[in-house]
Amino acid sequence: MNTKINKFLYIGFLLLGLFQAFFSKDYMQATASLGIALAFDPFDQEQKWNDRSFWQKAVLIIHLGLVAAMFGLGIGLNDK
């Protein structure tokens, strides 16, 4: 897939997830949107994980942590 399209899709799903979390307060939908954003890696997909720079790895790992935290928040707030 084209890297330029991936960047737009990544940013789009990222913004959608943040909107759903902060304005709609729908944390499970935000989790899904943020998780889908990870599927559209905004960096060069042909590059192996070990060859990526530290900041690229950090962005993706922090994003994954945000998805996990949002999932926990969604489960915790909907626990009855």
Side-chain angles (χ1 to χ4, degrees):
M1 195 178 239
N2 189 353
T3 305
K4 194 168 198 107
I5 293 172
N6 280 358
K7 288 179 185 178
F8 287 118
L9 289 172
Y10 177 81
I11 291 170
F13 277 106
L14 183 66
L15 292 175
L16 177 63
L18 293 175
F19 174 80
Q20 290 168 334
F22 293 119
F23 295 109
S24 300
K25 303 290 189 221
D26 190 356
Y27 299 111
M28 293 308 288
Q29 278 298 113
T31 302
S33 296
L34 292 173
I36 291 170
L38 279 173
F40 300 105
D41 186 0
F43 308 114
D44 184 16
Q45 293 180 348
E46 300 297 322
Q47 191 176 25
K48 293 183 181 180
W49 179 257
N50 292 334
D51 296 336
R52 292 185 182 213
S53 64
F54 175 76
W55 71 272
Q56 289 178 346
K57 291 179 187 178
V59 166
L60 294 173
I61 290 172
I62 290 170
H63 186 143
L64 182 61
L66 178 67
V67 171
M70 195 70 62
F71 181 71
L73 184 65
I75 293 292
L77 290 178
N78 289 327
D79 190 22
K80 298 189 188 224

